Amino acid sequence: MTDLSFTVEPGGSLHGCVRVPGDKSISHRAIMFGALAEGVTMITGFLDGEDCLATLRAFRAMGVRIDGSEQGQVTVHGVGLHGLHAPIGPLDMGNSGTSMRLMSGILAGQAFDTVLTGDASLNRRPMRRITEPLTQMGAWVETTERGSAPLRIHGSQRLVGMDYRMSVASAQVKSCLLLAGLYAEGVTRVTEPAPTRDHTERMLEGFGYGLRREGERTVAVTGGGRLTATAIDVPADISSAAFFLVGASIAPSSDLTLKHVGVNPTRTGVIDILRLMGADIEVLNLRWAGGEAVADLRVRYAPLRGIRIPEALVPLAIDEFPTLFIAAACATGETVLTGAAELRVKESDRIQVMADGLTTLGIVAKPTADGVEIQGGRLTGGTVESHGDHRIAMSFAMAGLRASDLIQVRDCANVNTSFPGFVPFAHNAGLTITAPGTA
Ligand code: S3P
């Protein structure tokens, strides 16, 4: 799994009208809510990536019949909130933090024990941010001594709702606690330090489960309700579109339209940040699909300038920083990011790994405790390490559009977690990229 490399020829531009694969966050949740609902949930536009498939397989292992995915169509035969069965062995969440953190909330409320494990990256990531509040609700979850997975979740515990103030702005923590709240007595109220993606809240409402939003940062659910199956149309993932928003912005003469992209306002920080840098992005045909805002995004080349990124936008663009750092490397002047320490505990330490790769490509990039300072410059060629992080791999692939020489990106197999078919897709749009066995 570790020897897949991308080779990107320098130059080129991006053109056409394309649709990137389905939204990862929404696809995970569609499987989870569909499984716990009463009735049959039909999903279209599902992301067939390894992360969402880990969620799908876990529910199958707990006795849920799930048909597909066939070209993004999945049918989930819901078993109700109390219809899951004990799996035979540990549930393998692969590389997927979303699967592990959200499912912990669900599994804390079951009548059986489960073990959740993942790959080396996932088993290094911090889990106390969920196990501590779950414990306060009455759950019993064991971690390693470092507070990481494998997680052993003991069933048949009595969960009681609580008021919880999160210390990190994390939709995964918020969602975990809301899901546990479905199984808890009374009200579970979660307050976040800053607004994060709200797909869980929207989908709960879509499945007919009442919740209360109290201002911008607090949400509350009452346990003991039921979920009713519904149809879910998953929009294209703005986090996957982001590589192309940046690619077309930095490559002269580009003109690219990305179709049917989810533009939930808790996800559009990447558009705001690129526009502050001078990017030319039009939001067209804004419409509504199953509780989520959707639009077509037209992006044309524009010279970019360095900026100080407003901290309020950080949680709204949390997955897009690797590719935004490539934009910063191609901008005039300095870009400064602060308030983004979370980037150090993603699939890799995205601050360090991006700074290392940019340095290899001739850019001055200084990591700080909670961000980075990048001087715009000229990208050379070279070999960069993705450390198995899908978003790092795709970001450095886009850098080829402005590099003076060949770029090789190593350890790219995990691109399949979020963007299966990335290589032919990017090639089609105008990037001269190859990878053995994938294009
Ligand atoms: C996600 C939330 C984010 C994001 C991840 C998906 C989700 O994580 O980085 O890729 O689907 O809830 P945090 O909420 O931990 O920042």
Side-chain angles (χ1 to χ4, degrees), residues 245-251 273-281 299-307 323-335 376-377 402:
L245 293 176
V246 167
S249 295
I250 63 173
I273 293 169
L274 283 172
R275 279 181 170 163
L276 288 172
M277 296 177 80
D280 177 358
I281 301 172
V299 51
R300 280 174 279 193
Y301 166 75
L304 302 181
R305 54 184 173 270
I307 58 162
T323 193
L324 284 167
F325 295 168
I326 300 297
C330 298
T332 314
E334 186 183 49
T335 295
R402 278 282 286 272

Side-chain angles (χ1 to χ4, degrees), residues 23-26 28-29 51 97-98 101-102 125 129 168-175 196-197 199-200 239 267 315 318-319 342 346-347 350 390-391:
D23 187 280
K24 184 152 77 71
S25 293
I26 296 176
H28 278 298
R29 287 162 173 80
D51 276 12
T98 308
R101 295 207 178 103
L102 270 59
R125 295 178 67 184
R129 55 180 60 193
V168 281
S170 165
Q172 293 183 350
V173 175
K174 172 178 63 175
S175 302
T196 65
R197 66 190 68 191
H199 305 301
T200 297
S239 297
R267 297 286 298 282
I318 194 67
D319 290 337
E342 272 298 294
K346 293 293 181 186
E347 286 83 330
R350 288 182 172 163
H390 55 138
R391 299 202 197 281

Side-chain angles (χ1 to χ4, degrees), residues 28 51-52 54-55 93-101 122 125:
H28 278 298
D51 276 12
C52 299
T55 293
M93 306 286 102
N95 193 241
S96 176
T98 308
S99 310
M100 183 168 286
R101 295 207 178 103
L122 182 54
R125 295 178 67 184

Side-chain angles (χ1 to χ4, degrees), residues 6-266:
F6 291 165
T7 302
V8 188
E9 307 267 348
S13 53
L14 301 182
H15 292 274
C17 187
V18 293
R19 178 168 170 162
V20 299
D23 187 280
K24 184 152 77 71
S25 293
I26 296 176
S27 295
H28 278 298
R29 287 162 173 80
I31 296 285
M32 294 179 195
F33 287 114
L36 300 177
E38 291 167 29
V40 177
T41 290
M42 308 280 280
I43 308 170
T44 49
F46 178 76
L47 171 64
D48 251 331
E50 281 304 317
D51 276 12
C52 299
L53 292 173
T55 293
L56 185 153
R57 290 187 198 113
F59 280 97
R60 276 193 185 140
M62 291 188 287
V64 182
R65 180 174 154 208
I66 305 176
D67 305 326
S69 161
E70 289 262 337
Q71 290 172 341
Q73 294 218 22
V74 179
T75 307
V76 186
H77 300 261
V79 295
L81 278 165
H82 299 280
L84 297 177
H85 294 296
I88 287 167
L91 298 173
D92 186 358
M93 306 286 102
N95 193 241
S96 176
T98 308
S99 310
M100 183 168 286
R101 295 207 178 103
L102 270 59
M103 289 191 60
S104 297
I106 295 169
L107 296 171
Q110 304 304 315
F112 51 83
D113 295 0
T114 36
V115 174
L116 296 185
T117 188
D119 67 8
S121 153
L122 182 54
N123 284 352
R124 270 197 302 271
R125 295 178 67 184
M127 291 296 150
R128 286 203 179 109
R129 55 180 60 193
I130 55 160
T131 59
E132 285 179 356
L134 284 175
T135 304
Q136 287 173 40
M137 291 176 75
W140 180 12
V141 186
E142 293 175 79
T143 67
T144 66
E145 258 173 33
R146 300 177 49 238
S148 55
L151 304 180
R152 178 172 293 277
I153 304 177
H154 296 267
S156 303
Q157 308 300 307
R158 175 167 164 258
L159 302 187
V160 181
M162 66 164 176
D163 271 3
Y164 187 71
R165 288 188 165 270
M166 290 161 41
S167 53
V168 281
S170 165
Q172 293 183 350
V173 175
K174 172 178 63 175
S175 302
C176 168
L177 300 180
L178 293 175
L179 286 162
L182 305 183
Y183 292 94
E185 280 168 33
V187 178
T188 300
R189 180 177 286 105
V190 186
T191 301
E192 30 186 14
T196 65
R197 66 190 68 191
D198 65 355
H199 305 301
T200 297
E201 294 91 309
R202 285 173 192 268
M203 211 179 279
L204 272 172
E205 287 170 327
F207 278 83
Y209 204 106
L211 58 79
R212 257 193 333 284
R213 292 179 194 251
E214 300 168 5
E216 275 226 309
R217 296 189 292 115
T218 300
V219 58
V221 292
T222 304
R226 52 166 53 182
L227 297 163
T228 306
T230 185
I232 306 277
D233 169 21
V234 182
D237 197 330
I238 191 167
S239 297
S240 296
F243 304 107
F244 294 89
L245 293 176
V246 167
S249 295
I250 63 173
S253 91
S254 294
D255 184 353
L256 184 72
T257 299
L258 296 147
K259 300 282 287 180
H260 205 71
V261 180
V263 288
N264 177 319
T266 59

